[in-house]
Amino acid sequence: MHKLIKQLTFLSLLYSFSVSSQWYETQGHARTNDISIELARTKAMENALKKALLVSGASVSSLQQVVNGLLTQDKISIRASGSVNSIELIDEIHSDNLITVTIRVDIFPQDKKCFAVNFKKSLLITRSHLLHREQANIGKIYLIDKAVMRKLAEQLNQQSAYTKTSSILNNKTEFSRLNNSLASDKISQLTQSLSESTDSQYIMFSEITNTSFDQQATNSWLFWQQGIYPRNFAINFYLYNGLNGELVWQDSYQNSAPWTFSKRMKVDVNGQAFWHSEYGLMVNNIIDRVIQDIDENIMCEPSRGKIIQVNGNQVIINLGRDHGLKIGDEFSLLHLTHFTNNSGKSYAGFNLSPYKVKVTKLTRQTATAATPDGRLFGNIQVDDLAVRYEN
């Protein structure tokens, strides 16, 4: 194990802050494949610093700055009030092609904290859809639609501080067909149905749009005799709110990398040979970017738990210790209603209940919460919501 202790002092971010600061300790990772140790260390530092800022309640919009040879500029842009005062690199570990750094960051707190970051949102990952199946013929990588989502789900559970992820990968959903026909109402219904059956607050759909080789390379099988050619990978992600079926976030990612396998070789997209290849590492880098974007987009969204039982002045909600809840956490209650507009389209709505509840018991998946004054509930019922908003 190689250890390195170094002190970095960052310039002020030109944001307002209080006089007291708080330390956050986080780890960052980067691969050393085809890049120098110095560059890998920089990327690992950036990864760790981004996590520290997110944990402190800030949402990072750009991160590429360093002083004293570790970061390359002097300013970090964040969408919040807060400031990085100093960073201490307290540990550095090299293992195979991976460098792991541990940093301690001195962050002046925001004037207004994002309370939702204390809770993990339940996220369901669904199997992707390979739009152009014929492009997967070389390597017979038809199962990449399943393998990439499995890798995303695994790494979300390892890296994300804001999601508790589950997956349904053996069967495809109807999302891609519905998306192609612009059937937004049916996508909303599909989202709500999956949310209901899996107790998930968010549903993730995706489409792999390109796994082709460059056009000039695929004109003839002879291109393999001329060298190794880059292969493309492009994917679209769609994140939906399971409660109301609304689209929360979407984005597209694409890159290319050399395909180092022979043309007739059937490649196991779940195997180490694939994920350690240049192409697999490129796909994995896209997955890392997706995880960061998911965190940034849902970290301050309110955690919403469905009420699954009502008994006197107590409710049981489908959020628990695994989601970051603690004894004493307080929630507001929302009563679910529906209304129809003039064109006959139905919408979900909510009435804010006067009742607030405090968590008194916890399991991994559920919480029991009661009104502090013992008041009995009025119209609160099963499938209503317990919500903690930022305040």
Side-chain angles (χ1 to χ4, degrees):
M1 178 180 68
H2 173 66
K3 286 191 175 181
L4 173 66
I5 299 179
K6 187 176 290 186
Q7 184 72 28
L8 302 176
T9 302
F10 273 69
L11 301 181
S12 170
L13 299 183
L14 304 179
Y15 287 93
S16 62
F17 53 86
S18 62
V19 294
S20 61
S21 61
Q22 184 171 354
W23 284 95
Y24 297 86
E25 186 171 305
T26 57
Q27 282 190 337
H29 310 276
R31 294 194 175 276
T32 57
N33 301 78
D34 299 326
I35 61 175
S36 66
I37 295 297
E38 291 74 21
L39 181 56
R41 181 185 297 117
T42 296
K43 289 182 176 295
M45 289 282 290
E46 292 174 358
N47 179 247
L49 178 55
K50 188 164 190 175
K51 291 178 182 178
L53 286 168
L54 290 171
V55 168
S56 73
S59 181
V60 186
S61 57
S62 74
L63 180 61
Q64 184 82 13
Q65 326 270 334
V66 178
V67 177
N68 295 338
L70 280 180
L71 300 176
T72 56
Q73 300 172 348
D74 60 4
K75 184 177 171 186
I76 298 168
S77 176
I78 60 175
R79 298 193 299 267
S81 172
S83 177
V84 174
N85 183 45
S86 64
I87 300 177
E88 183 181 6
L89 177 57
I90 62 175
D91 198 11
E92 179 177 332
I93 300 173
H94 296 251
S95 176
D96 295 327
N97 293 325
L98 185 72
I99 181 172
T100 300
V101 300
T102 303
I103 66 171
R104 191 161 50 228
V105 191
D106 187 15
I107 301 177
F108 287 98
Q110 299 172 234
D111 292 334
K112 193 173 185 182
K113 291 284 287 184
C114 170
F115 286 102
V117 302
N118 295 325
F119 301 100
K120 289 191 174 184
K121 286 77 174 178
S122 51
L123 170 64
L124 178 71
I125 302 291
T126 63
R127 186 167 177 169
S128 191
H129 180 70
L130 195 58
L131 287 186
H132 304 287
R133 184 175 170 83
E134 70 281 0
Q135 293 178 352
N137 185 52
I138 296 178
K140 303 294 187 291
I141 58 171
Y142 305 113
L143 293 180
I144 196 170
D145 56 356
K146 184 177 180 180
V148 170
M149 293 303 106
R150 177 183 288 112
K151 180 71 72 171
L152 173 61
E154 290 173 353
Q155 295 187 187
L156 271 168
N157 279 326
Q158 293 172 3
Q159 300 178 24
S160 174
Y162 311 109
T163 61
K164 178 182 178 296
T165 305
S166 58
S167 58
I168 298 178
L169 301 178
N170 287 335
N171 297 303
K172 296 179 181 179
T173 70
E174 292 293 306
F175 171 79
S176 190
R177 181 182 63 81
L178 298 174
N179 192 43
N180 185 58
S181 59
L182 304 178
S184 58
D185 285 351
K186 292 185 177 180
I187 291 176
S188 177
Q189 293 171 12
L190 171 64
T191 299
Q192 293 174 347
S193 175
L194 288 171
S195 172
E196 176 72 24
S197 61
T198 62
D199 271 344
S200 300
Q201 186 173 345
Y202 293 93
I203 310 296
M204 174 73 80
F205 301 108
S206 62
E207 295 175 320
I208 297 174
T209 59
N210 192 1
T211 59
S212 69
F213 289 82
D214 290 340
Q215 185 62 40
Q216 64 270 25
T218 55
N219 286 335
S220 170
W221 285 109
L222 296 178
F223 78 88
W224 232 276
Q225 301 173 6
Q226 303 165 9
I228 297 172
Y229 283 80
R231 188 171 198 167
N232 300 301
F233 182 81
I235 187 168
N236 298 334
F237 282 95
Y238 308 84
L239 182 67
Y240 283 83
N241 187 323
L243 181 67
N244 53 27
E246 292 181 352
L247 181 64
V248 175
W249 163 80
Q250 71 177 85
D251 209 343
S252 301
Y253 304 81
Q254 60 182 356
N255 205 342
S256 64
W259 183 256
T260 54
F261 303 96
S262 67
K263 69 173 183 179
R264 300 187 184 282
M265 180 178 179
K266 182 178 181 181
V267 178
D268 179 8
V269 290
N270 293 301
Q272 289 189 354
F274 173 79
W275 288 105
H276 289 172
S277 70
E278 293 183 68
Y279 189 81
L281 291 171
M282 176 271 294
V283 175
N284 199 69
N285 285 336
I286 288 179
I287 291 173
D288 286 341
R289 288 163 51 198
V290 173
I291 291 172
Q292 293 173 0
D293 289 344
I294 291 172
D295 275 350
E296 285 190 29
N297 279 277
I298 72 173
M299 59 174 286
C300 282
E301 290 293 316
S303 289
R304 294 167 170 167
K306 276 193 176 182
I307 295 174
I308 57 178
Q309 188 178 98
V310 181
N311 184 17
N313 74 320
Q314 291 186 337
V315 294
I316 298 179
I317 61 177
N318 64 349
L319 298 176
R321 192 179 297 111
D322 284 354
H323 303 88
L325 269 66
K326 301 181 296 295
I327 299 295
D329 284 337
E330 292 186 344
F331 286 81
S332 297
L333 301 184
L334 297 179
H335 178 56
L336 178 63
T337 62
H338 291 86
F339 62 93
T340 304
N341 66 7
N342 293 335
S343 63
K345 186 175 181 179
S346 180
Y347 293 88
F350 300 95
N351 291 331
L352 178 60
S353 167
Y355 306 105
K356 288 193 175 182
V357 293
K358 183 177 291 188
V359 174
T360 58
K361 298 178 183 178
L362 279 174
T363 69
R364 291 184 59 186
Q365 301 294 333
T366 66
T368 300
T371 54
D373 56 7
R375 293 173 62 191
L376 299 180
F377 299 115
N379 60 350
I380 296 300
Q381 56 193 14
V382 171
D383 287 337
D384 286 342
L385 301 182
V387 182
R388 185 174 184 181
Y389 285 99
E390 181 180 354
N391 53 32

